[in-house]
Amino acid sequence: MKDLCREIVWHGLARGLWGAGGSIDESLAAVCLVLKHELHEFYRGRRQARFDPSPLTEISDFTPGMLGANTDRKMKTKGAETWGLTLYLRSLLLIPEVSARLAPEGQNMLEATTHIIYMCELMDSRGVRMSGDDCESLLQTYKRFCAATQDMEALRTPKRHSVAHMVCSTPRKGNPRYYSNWFDEGLNRVLKRACRQLSQATFEETVLLTMPKLLEDVGAD
């Protein structure tokens, strides 16, 4: 979700969605002020309308450091903050003038945010065990999300593969909302430790000998 938000925001920056002047990097500070104002207006509107019984975790400040630079694009928001940002971006993409400015990519971005929001809301509204219909709906929605983001190279790895496993395992493991913690991604650091300073000639044998011991240490933690 965070990667999708990053792609949408930076695409909007390139199209001058929040103002333009000079290069993207030069106008980033001014853009962040506009973004912060619009976000806070979005939060306030939801609070006043009592649209959501569970309050959003709001981004208190939006700074250039959270977005990085045009050559090193980032989106430094926390998980709960990213949910509110995604809802804001979806509301923005629904505006015809915005959709036209971001065309043709804007339509795919709108579809992607709609699908990912639906998946999250479906999982949040269900218990540990999900019905066969819910599991199928989750899978088909994720397929549509993948289709909508197939041209966004930054979204292809690594989480797309992890989410696919999560969604496909739902009938057997239950609602991912209650168990998924991306433990396998954390093991990338362990793999790096095992591969450090190895000779290419003995790479495979050494990794196979080293990994069991390192995994024991992880289990002990």
Side-chain angles (χ1 to χ4, degrees), residues 54-96:
S54 57
L56 296 176
T57 300
E58 301 182 5
I59 301 173
S60 59
D61 197 9
F62 210 101
T63 64
M66 296 171 66
L67 295 177
N70 194 27
T71 55
D72 185 22
R73 300 179 176 185
K74 301 182 183 301
M75 179 55 68
K76 294 182 179 180
T77 53
K78 297 178 181 178
E81 294 174 340
T82 307
W83 172 245
L85 177 62
T86 304
L87 295 176
Y88 157 72
L89 291 173
R90 199 256 309 257
S91 70
L92 194 64
L93 290 166
L94 285 168
I95 300 172

Side-chain angles (χ1 to χ4, degrees), residues 6 16 27 39 43 46 53 56 62 74 77 87 89-90 92 121 133 155 177 184 199 215 220:
R6 183 192 64 229
S27 60
L39 262 175
Y43 296 146
R46 286 178 65 95
L56 296 176
F62 210 101
K74 301 182 183 301
T77 53
L87 295 176
L89 291 173
R90 199 256 309 257
L92 194 64
E121 290 179 339
D133 288 342
L155 269 62
R177 177 72 173 79
D184 56 337
S199 165
L215 289 173

Side-chain angles (χ1 to χ4, degrees), residues 158-206:
K159 289 189 172 59
R160 175 171 293 204
H161 183 76
S162 298
V163 174
H165 278 294
M166 179 187 79
V167 171
C168 292
S169 299
T170 301
R172 180 166 56 91
K173 295 183 178 179
N175 189 344
R177 177 72 173 79
Y178 292 88
Y179 76 86
S180 183
N181 61 6
W182 313 114
F183 177 72
D184 56 337
E185 285 191 24
L187 292 178
N188 287 338
R189 291 191 296 272
V190 179
L191 181 60
K192 288 180 181 178
R193 286 167 58 194
C195 297
R196 190 176 299 160
Q197 297 179 341
L198 296 185
S199 165
Q200 189 172 358
T202 59
F203 180 83
E204 293 184 5
E205 295 87 346
T206 309

